[in-house]
Amino acid sequence: MLRVLEINETQDLSYVRCNWHRLWESTPGATFFQTLEWLQIYWKHFGEDKLLRVLLVLDGQRLVGVVPLVVVKEPTRLGKVSVLTYPLADWGTHFSVLAENPLQTLGRALQHIQETPRNWDMIDLRWLAEEDMEVNLTSDAMTEAGYSPNPGVWKETVFIDFDGTWDDYLRSRSPKLRSDIRRKLKKFDQTGRIHLERYRPQGRVAGDCDPRWDLYEQATAIAEKSWQGHSTTGTTISHRPIRRYIKDCHVAATELGMLDLAMLYLDGKPIGFCYNYCSNGRIFGLRRGDAPEAREHGLGTVLTAILIRDSFERGDKSLDMGPGSFEAKRRWMTRIATVGRMTHYPMLAPRAQILRLKHWLQTCRDRKNGRLRTALEEKQGPV
């Protein structure tokens, strides 16, 4: 009989750190954003006005699953709505429970939510991988707990899969891009004017956790000179309100062996960077930037090409380039992945029911555009 222990303060989670890491390692595709280290950093910087609900699922005294949830008040035209969701907050693109048996763990956790006083207007589990939607993992867990799951699309993200070789990948690109890459790489390879330094430490366990603040400061300086320096979104690495968060994550990712920072130099001067997190060969591109000199020499293409070539040589599995800017990423990608959501709207919550209508209309558009095809729809028909 599984039981659930709910934790509402991140400091109270420190005693399960080793077991949390054990479950992280047993969860396919787990990312930096699913580590306890990231959750504690996120909560330290952005936890104000939110309620943490981390559900520890135990079989006797053994921890068999972790379901990190948060209640966040989100503004809508109807006023603020309290949403129970995962804590990712769009810093990444995918999130899931950490568990040996994800369906059983999530189902038991949601039963616990059902049994406790409701402090939310709706449940909206976002950032679901396509595999989750295809096998109805989250929807089945919701149904078993007594909720009515409504599938939808949260975002779309662009992937490069490192299947085959670099030459295979090049052959799959458009003739124009292939010619551009080969010409530029040949030019700079022959002159020796450019150099890529890719820093991927092995982590504290391996005794390799130098944060390399020199590379970090170079990346920040480039970001300030690029479009990121003028951005008002508050999500670029040079944006002052989040610098402390990014720095704390930088240290944690380095110590966990999950940092992947690439710096491109022209004549010894840093002119472009890719700041990524990496786990088990799966890379998530957090931010990239190019100095004005890079654009003048057309080195944006060179940076991306060398990074991809290096990943093929390292034996990496994939690069998640993130949502947005599809036109710029389209020529590089091998696929577009749907990022799903599964939502429950309580019948007695009027604002949630109005939002249900809005989301239903969006779901109809997603179906029409071919972005939402799940077995749940085949079984249940229209939402």
Side-chain angles (χ1 to χ4, degrees), residues 135-377:
V135 303
N136 295 326
L137 191 156
T138 298
S139 62
D140 284 351
M142 276 188 165
T143 301
E144 289 180 9
Y147 296 114
S148 301
N150 294 269
V153 173
W154 179 247
K155 289 181 184 293
E156 288 181 319
T157 188
V158 171
F159 271 89
I160 298 175
D161 294 308
F162 301 119
D163 297 328
T165 67
W166 164 247
D167 288 333
D168 294 332
Y169 174 79
L170 268 186
R171 283 191 290 268
S172 71
R173 301 301 93 196
S174 69
K176 182 179 179 181
L177 177 60
R178 185 164 62 245
S179 174
D180 190 34
I181 291 173
R182 284 173 171 165
R183 176 175 53 83
K184 288 180 177 178
L185 289 184
K186 181 178 180 181
K187 172 186 174 182
F188 288 106
D189 283 345
Q190 288 178 343
T191 60
R193 295 183 64 195
I194 63 170
H195 165 67
L196 181 77
E197 181 172 1
R198 193 167 191 179
Y199 183 56
R200 192 181 289 185
Q202 296 302 302
R204 181 178 55 249
V205 174
D208 179 21
C209 55
D210 181 354
R212 287 298 302 273
W213 291 116
D214 56 329
L215 294 177
Y216 181 88
E217 294 300 335
Q218 288 170 8
T220 302
I222 291 172
E224 288 179 333
K225 290 190 236 179
S226 72
W227 64 268
Q228 298 183 44
H230 307 288
S231 172
T232 58
T233 62
T235 59
T236 69
I237 68 170
S238 61
H239 201 266
R240 297 194 180 280
I242 67 162
R243 278 192 178 185
R244 290 183 179 179
Y245 160 77
I246 296 291
K247 277 191 170 184
D248 286 349
C249 286
H250 181 81
V251 172
T254 300
E255 294 183 347
L256 290 169
M258 297 183 190
L259 176 69
D260 178 45
L261 176 53
M263 185 67 60
L264 185 68
Y265 296 89
L266 174 64
D267 298 329
K269 180 180 179 181
I271 49 88
F273 73 91
C274 291
Y275 192 99
N276 313 314
Y277 297 126
C278 179
S279 54
N280 298 319
R282 295 180 175 88
I283 307 163
F284 173 73
L286 182 72
R287 296 292 181 268
R288 67 161 288 159
D290 303 302
E293 303 93 307
R295 292 189 293 273
E296 292 172 9
H297 292 275
L299 290 177
T301 298
V302 172
L303 172 56
T304 304
I306 294 180
L307 185 83
I308 295 172
R309 183 176 66 180
D310 183 72
S311 280
F312 272 105
E313 293 171 353
R314 288 172 179 262
D316 290 334
K317 297 175 182 176
S318 64
L319 168 62
D320 182 348
M321 301 181 78
S325 304
F326 283 119
E327 288 307 312
K329 298 171 183 176
R330 188 179 300 277
R331 59 183 188 158
W332 300 100
M333 71 182 187
T334 58
R335 63 184 169 100
I336 294 177
T338 298
V339 181
R341 71 193 301 182
M342 201 65 64
T343 313
H344 166 73
Y345 310 90
M347 291 299 296
L348 300 180
R351 285 184 294 182
Q353 287 300 312
I354 296 174
L355 286 173
R356 182 177 188 268
L357 176 59
K358 176 184 175 183
H359 294 167
W360 175 78
L361 293 172
Q362 179 61 52
T363 299
C364 289
R365 288 192 289 269
D366 291 332
R367 284 200 192 96
K368 184 177 180 181
N369 294 331
R371 296 198 299 166
L372 183 60
R373 291 289 185 271
T374 68
L376 178 69
E377 293 177 280

Side-chain angles (χ1 to χ4, degrees), residues 38-159:
W38 177 82
L39 179 61
Q40 291 179 323
I41 291 169
Y42 169 76
W43 204 252
K44 169 186 171 184
H45 292 277
F46 305 115
E48 188 175 357
D49 298 327
K50 299 180 180 70
L51 172 64
L52 185 69
R53 302 190 68 176
V54 177
L55 307 182
L56 305 179
V57 180
L58 299 104
D59 185 359
Q61 297 300 315
R62 187 170 185 267
L63 183 67
V64 295
V66 176
V67 184
L69 297 171
V70 59
V71 178
V72 56
K73 293 181 179 179
E74 298 183 344
T76 71
R77 292 181 180 179
L78 306 172
K80 289 188 175 181
V81 175
S82 294
V83 180
L84 180 68
T85 186
Y86 291 129
L88 186 58
D90 279 332
W91 282 106
T93 56
H94 293 93
F95 202 90
S96 68
V97 302
L98 300 174
E100 299 169 352
N101 187 326
L103 176 60
Q104 185 182 49
T105 293
L106 183 57
R108 182 63 188 90
L110 291 173
Q111 286 175 11
H112 170 83
I113 296 295
Q114 184 79 279
E115 295 162 0
T116 53
R118 181 159 66 87
N119 55 4
W120 42 267
D121 296 312
M122 68 180 192
I123 299 175
D124 196 6
L125 299 181
R126 305 158 178 168
W127 307 290
L128 306 181
E130 287 182 325
E131 295 81 2
D132 183 302
M133 304 292 282
E134 289 169 357
V135 303
N136 295 326
L137 191 156
T138 298
S139 62
D140 284 351
M142 276 188 165
T143 301
E144 289 180 9
Y147 296 114
S148 301
N150 294 269
V153 173
W154 179 247
K155 289 181 184 293
E156 288 181 319
T157 188
V158 171
F159 271 89

